[in-house]
């Protein structure tokens, strides 16, 4: 099992994609000293987001790539890409800087979009992961078939991705058991912490034989964040697992370069409900739109939408549920207490 630290990619969401080239070099250097051998950098949404005007980062993909390539000494570095936002030329650019791995993010109902990206990355001898976003919307048996597709495409590892922080350790275990009974491809795990189970789920993935487990310093990541690198290594120590990670070195880089950037206090109740319902926060803009238009508690709207669809949030479905909730409120004579203007005035969540 290898830890992949995604602070510099998924953590970029938390600071509105303002990690600089210097931040990248400093954190990459610190992670290497702490024994992390897989380091992901770049825009949170991945390659092509800035060029396409999607929540542009403070620097370009190429500058992130160059910064990582300069700082790397003994680890492997990589970037994330979503086909349709990224294009094949983005992979070529990264190859020019010696990128070691790439992770291709696709929804579980769009596996075929990964094929050409896997092929191009393998032409550059990269280690290729396919991350199936919102994995929990498929049954373990359905998910196992997707793993077989990735293997046919020539990928090196498939990721079980708990995009909404919705899964429990028992569910993680079941996915691993089914996939491993039907495939010989390694399985990775990427978890979010909406229900406070990211570490428990990551630990279960490790105990089930995960090839790679994602973490981030301070748990820095989209929505409620990821499995905390520091916590996960402490858990390995508690279980007397032999490893090469230097906990104090990683804590030092976390305290110096990451913790000062964090501002959120306490737990966001909307994020918690996203975890409860299985709602991916990339669709928060449509929740905002109809919560404000119909004066509806977004937490109720999220749950109503997810009772019917956890994969995405079509405009017509969200409006239908908002109208339903508004009518229910009128019938029952109640008004929500959620501070819509204050909450959504800060443009709470980025697009992906």
């Amino acid at each position: 099992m290898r830890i992949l630290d995604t602070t510099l990619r998924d953590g970029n969401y938390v600071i509105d994609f303002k990690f600089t080239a210097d931040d990248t070099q400093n954190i990459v250097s610190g992670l290497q000293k702490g024994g992390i051998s897989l380091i992901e950098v770049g825009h949170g949404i991945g390659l092509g987001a800035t060029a396409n005007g999607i929540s542009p980062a403070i620097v370009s993909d190429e500058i992130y790539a160059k910064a990582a390539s300069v700082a790397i000494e003994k680890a492997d570095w990589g970037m994330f890409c979503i086909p349709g936002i990224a294009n094949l030329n983005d992979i070529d650019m990264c190859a020019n800087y010696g990128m070691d791995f790439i992770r291709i993010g696709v929804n579980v109902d769009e596996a075929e979009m990964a094929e050409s990206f896997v092929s191009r990355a393998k032409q550059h001898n990269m280690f290729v992961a396919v991350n199936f976003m919102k994995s929990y919307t498929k049954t373990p048996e359905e998910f196992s078939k997707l793993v077989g597709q990735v293997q046919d495409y020539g990928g090196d590892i498939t990721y079980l991705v708990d995009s909404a922080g919705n899964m429990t350790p028992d569910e993680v275990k079941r996915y691993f058991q089914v996939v491993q009974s039907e495939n010989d491809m390694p399985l990775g795990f990427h978890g979010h912490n909406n229900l406070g189970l990211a570490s428990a789920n990551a630990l279960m993935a490790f105990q089930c034989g995960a090839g790679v487990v994602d973490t981030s310093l301070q748990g820095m990541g989209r929505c409620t964040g990821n499995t905390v690198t520091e916590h996960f290594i402490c858990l390995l120590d508690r279980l007397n697992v032999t490893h090469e990670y230097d906990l104090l070195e990683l804590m030092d880089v976390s305290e110096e370069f990451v913790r000062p950037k964090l501002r959120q206090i306490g737990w966001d109740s909307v994020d918690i409900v996203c975890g409860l319902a299985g709602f991916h926060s990339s669709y928060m803009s449509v929740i905002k739109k109809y919560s404000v238009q119909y004066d509806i508690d977004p937490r109720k709207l999220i749950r109503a939408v997810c009772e019917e669809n956890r994969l995405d949030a079509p405009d017509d479905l969200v409006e239908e549920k908002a109208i339903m909730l508004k009518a229910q409120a009128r019938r029952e004579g109640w008004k929500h207490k959620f501070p819509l203007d204050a909450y959504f005035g800060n443009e709470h969540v980025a697009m992906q």
Side-chain angles (χ1 to χ4, degrees):
M1 189 278 303
R2 301 171 75 186
I3 290 175
L4 185 152
D5 189 279
T6 185
T7 308
L8 285 162
R9 197 276 301 176
D10 211 337
N12 223 341
Y13 281 101
V14 178
I15 55 173
D16 297 325
F17 314 105
K18 289 184 171 61
F19 272 134
T20 65
D22 285 344
D23 290 328
T24 300
Q25 291 185 10
N26 288 332
I27 295 172
V28 165
S29 295
L31 289 169
Q32 288 179 115
K33 290 178 183 177
I36 300 294
S37 60
L38 295 171
I39 302 171
E40 189 173 59
V41 307
H43 195 293
I45 298 170
L47 290 165
T50 295
N52 284 302
I54 306 172
S55 301
I58 196 170
V59 300
S60 68
D61 294 337
E62 187 166 6
I63 290 175
Y64 281 130
K66 182 177 181 180
S69 68
V70 168
I72 281 291
E73 296 175 357
K74 56 183 178 180
D76 292 337
W77 72 276
M79 300 179 87
F80 190 77
C81 80
I82 299 175
I85 296 176
N87 61 55
L88 298 177
N89 292 332
D90 292 319
I91 299 177
D92 300 334
M93 180 275 291
C94 291
N96 290 335
Y97 288 95
M99 190 168 79
D100 302 292
F101 70 86
I102 191 166
R103 303 207 297 169
I104 302 162
V106 292
N107 286 327
V108 286
D109 62 340
E110 298 174 331
E112 67 283 351
M113 293 184 67
E115 184 173 10
S116 61
F117 283 76
V118 172
S119 177
R120 181 62 65 89
K122 294 308 295 183
Q123 288 174 21
H124 292 293
N125 298 313
M126 294 179 185
F127 181 84
V128 180
V130 174
N131 288 33
F132 280 114
M133 300 182 292
K134 308 160 202 164
S135 298
Y136 45 77
T137 62
K138 295 290 187 182
T139 66
E141 292 74 18
E142 292 169 335
F143 185 81
S144 183
K145 291 182 173 60
L146 297 176
V147 175
Q149 281 186 247
V150 173
Q151 195 159 18
D152 291 342
Y153 295 160
D156 296 296
I157 190 170
T158 306
Y159 260 81
L160 178 68
V161 182
D162 185 14
S163 305
N166 174 252
M167 300 178 76
T168 66
D170 283 346
E171 290 172 328
V172 172
K173 182 178 182 179
R174 176 62 180 160
Y175 277 84
F176 269 83
Q177 287 176 333
V178 172
V179 169
Q180 290 168 341
S181 71
E182 298 178 353
N183 302 274
D184 56 9
M185 167 169 271
L187 195 59
F189 180 74
H190 178 94
H192 281 265
N193 203 38
N194 298 64
L195 297 181
L197 291 173
S199 289
N201 287 335
L203 184 60
M204 177 59 76
F206 161 70
Q207 292 173 327
C208 289
V212 183
V213 171
D214 287 7
T215 67
S216 60
L217 296 173
Q218 297 285 328
M220 195 177 185
R222 180 184 53 78
C223 205
T224 55
N226 306 121
T227 304
V228 180
T229 300
E230 301 92 313
H231 282 173
F232 188 68
I233 294 172
C234 285
L235 287 171
L236 296 181
D237 285 344
R238 290 280 289 119
L239 294 173
N240 296 315
V241 174
T242 301
H243 62 76
E244 297 181 353
Y245 303 113
D246 186 329
L247 178 61
L248 293 184
E249 188 73 48
L250 292 168
M251 285 179 167
D252 287 347
V253 69
S254 177
E255 292 284 357
E256 183 175 1
F257 296 113
V258 177
R259 191 177 179 197
K261 297 181 181 295
L262 304 180
R263 295 290 179 265
Q264 181 169 316
I265 299 173
W267 290 91
D268 185 315
S269 65
V270 173
D271 289 344
I272 294 171
V273 169
C274 286
L276 174 63
F279 183 82
H280 195 290
S281 62
S282 63
Y283 301 113
M284 195 59 71
S285 59
V286 72
I287 294 294
K288 170 188 174 180
K289 175 181 177 181
Y290 291 112
S291 293
V292 172
Q293 181 174 334
Y294 291 98
D295 193 22
I296 292 297
D297 186 328
R299 298 166 298 186
K300 288 182 176 286
L301 184 54
I302 286 168
R303 295 191 72 177
V305 169
C306 286
E307 286 173 0
E308 189 165 328
N309 186 345
R310 293 194 301 167
L311 185 60
D312 52 20
D315 227 73
D316 56 350
L317 174 63
V318 179
E319 183 171 23
E320 174 191 326
K321 298 300 182 183
I323 292 170
M324 177 197 75
L325 289 169
K326 186 68 173 180
Q328 180 183 352
R330 286 172 175 163
R331 285 195 309 272
E332 298 175 3
W334 53 262
K335 179 169 174 59
H336 70 84
K337 298 179 181 179
F338 190 88
L340 285 171
D341 292 341
Y343 187 84
F344 284 123
N346 293 323
E347 294 296 336
H348 166 60
V349 175
M351 281 299 294
Q352 288 287 335

